[in-house]
């Protein structure tokens, strides 16, 4: 859905990342308007943002260009979201105090849309107690704070205070509109394939891309949950705002899930776990045999979902069933066998690796088919169903 974003840029070197963010938003079909503080224009020229957004850039309250000369009302009233990125320590202090002595703080005060800030500053400035108080105050006022990230800073120091990357801000912006239907909940997920090594260069795996599990982790995060994602090997980037643990084999995945299980409200098992692993691991690459072919003997892997669902302290467990035929019949049998309140059934050939998916939700009330949608939309539909089931369960 095309949205209208107002991006406020204040004076920090991270302003260069905001150019990329504006480009990503415009490319995705959104309307973007940019306003800058005077200090920000020392880092990036307004012309750059004008070229990227396709709209004039405003830098002061006295700009006479808007028809009624009220830029501070016009611009934030037209926006669905006002994001300030980078937001300097000074900007956060002004916002926390409700000051209105420059264009950006005035726009924030006069807005009717959600306000999001992406702080960027030196780690010492980030940790400075007055800054921490300001951030706390802003959160209490309903302002969403994206980041900051940990890492190397422009000044050479290492710590918290880096602005998130453009792609991460883009990702978080897409979800900041979603209702917080899982607020206060903790969700644990598995995603991707597992890899069961045969020798140092070979192994047994499958074609799961991890896309569905990662989309679900993002959807749970966007719904306000605290999310832990245990991921097998994938080519995907870690979702921002999600605690991600990388594993390889099924047994490592089970161990990571068990270690993270305490306090979880929901466990969603999306991973395509290899049911079997080679009985023996060869320390050196197996050489080609010139007479006959080698045989591979296998051992059974633990069933992670069934193990967790059978525990006395099991959270609300959600399974996936990727079937290549008789989808609903096999999936319902799987739900009964693994004793799951909810199972997501899909046709393996159509789902694995693809960007969209067509699912049927199976629970005690019956079958709930969903239309074919992008995996992000499928993920949100699953989150809504889970939230509803949790709400109903808590009433009984
Ligand atoms: N699963 C798991 N651990 C395994 C195998 C499966 O946690 N060792 C989970 C999957 O993450 C999924 C569900 O169980 O949520 C069903 O997985 P699937 O591969 O469809 O079913 P299997 O139980 O392996 O049965 P089959 O291979 O016969 O279809």
């Amino acid at each position: 859905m095309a949205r209208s974003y107002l991006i406020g840029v204040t004076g920090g070197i991270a302003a260069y990342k905001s150019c990329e963010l504006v480009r990503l938003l415009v490319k995705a079909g959104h309307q973007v308007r940019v306003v800058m503080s005077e200090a920000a224009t020392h880092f990036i020229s307004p012309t750059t943002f004008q070229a990227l957004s396709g709209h004039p850039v405003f830098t002061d309250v006295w700009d006479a260009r808007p028809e009624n000369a009220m830029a501070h009302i016009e611009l934030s009233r037209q926006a669905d979201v006002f994001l300030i990125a980078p937001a300097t320590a000074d900007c956060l202090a002004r916002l926390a105090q409700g000051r209105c002595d420059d264009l950006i703080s005035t726009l924030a005060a006069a807005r009717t849309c959600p306000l999001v800030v992406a702080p960027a500053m030196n780690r010492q400035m980030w940790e400075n107690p007055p800054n921490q108080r300001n951030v706390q105050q802003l959160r209490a006022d309903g302002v969403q704070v994206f980041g900051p990230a940990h890492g190397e800073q422009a000044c050479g120091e290492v710590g918290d205070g880096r602005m998130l990357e453009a792609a991460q801000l883009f990702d978080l912006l897409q979800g900041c509109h979603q209702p917080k239907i899982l607020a206060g909940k903790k969700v644990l997920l598995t995603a991707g394939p597992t890899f069961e090594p045969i020798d140092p260069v070979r192994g047994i795996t499958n074609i799961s891309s991890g896309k569905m599990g990662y989309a679900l982790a993002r959807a749970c995060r966007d719904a306000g949950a605290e999310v832990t994602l245990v991921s097998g090997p994938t080519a995907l980037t870690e979702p921002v705002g999600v605690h991600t643990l990388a594993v390889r084999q099924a047994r490592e995945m089970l161990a990571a899930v068990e270690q993270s299980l305490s306090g979880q409200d929901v466990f969603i098992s999306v991973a395509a776990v290899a049911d079997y692993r080679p009985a023996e691991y060869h320390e050196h690459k197996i050489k080609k045999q010139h007479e006959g072919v080698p045989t591979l003997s296998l051992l059974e892997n633990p069933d992670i979902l069934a193990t967790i669902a059978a525990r006395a302290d099991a959270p609300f467990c959600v399974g996936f069933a990727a079937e290549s035929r008789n989808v609903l019949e096999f999936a319902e049998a799987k739900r009964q066998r693994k004793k799951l309140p909810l199972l997501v059934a899909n046709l393996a050939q159509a789902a694995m690796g693809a960007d969209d998916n067509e699912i049927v939700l199976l629970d005690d009330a019956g079958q709930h088919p969903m239309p074919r949608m992008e995996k992000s939309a499928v993920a949100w539909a699953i989150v809504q169903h889970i939230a509803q089931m949790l709400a109903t369960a808590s009433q009984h």
Side-chain angles (χ1 to χ4, degrees), residues 246-259:
V247 296
R248 209 157 81 119
Q249 292 167 250
R251 285 174 303 165
E252 286 167 9
M253 189 173 266
L254 175 61
V257 165
E258 283 177 333
Q259 269 161 28

Side-chain angles (χ1 to χ4, degrees), residues 183 201 228 346 352 394:
V201 297
T228 304
N346 58 26
M352 287 173 106
S394 71

Side-chain angles (χ1 to χ4, degrees), residues 190 250 253 267-276 301-307 318-323 330 334 337-338 340 343-344:
T190 62
M253 189 173 266
F267 173 54
I268 313 179
S269 181
V270 197
V273 184
D275 288 326
Y276 305 99
N301 267 334
D303 187 317
I304 301 170
L305 177 58
T307 308
V318 183
F320 268 69
E323 307 291 349
F330 285 165
K334 207 169 273 184
R337 192 170 65 243
K338 301 198 188 194
L340 306 173
L343 186 128
V344 182

Side-chain angles (χ1 to χ4, degrees), residues 186-223:
K186 287 180 77 177
V187 180
L188 175 65
L189 302 102
T190 62
T194 61
F195 181 89
E196 312 294 334
I198 298 171
D199 70 13
V201 297
R202 303 184 181 95
I204 299 176
T205 187
N206 58 66
I207 62 165
S208 165
S209 63
K211 286 179 190 165
M212 192 64 240
Y214 278 54
L216 250 177
R218 288 193 166 91
C220 292
R221 172 202 69 195
D222 294 342

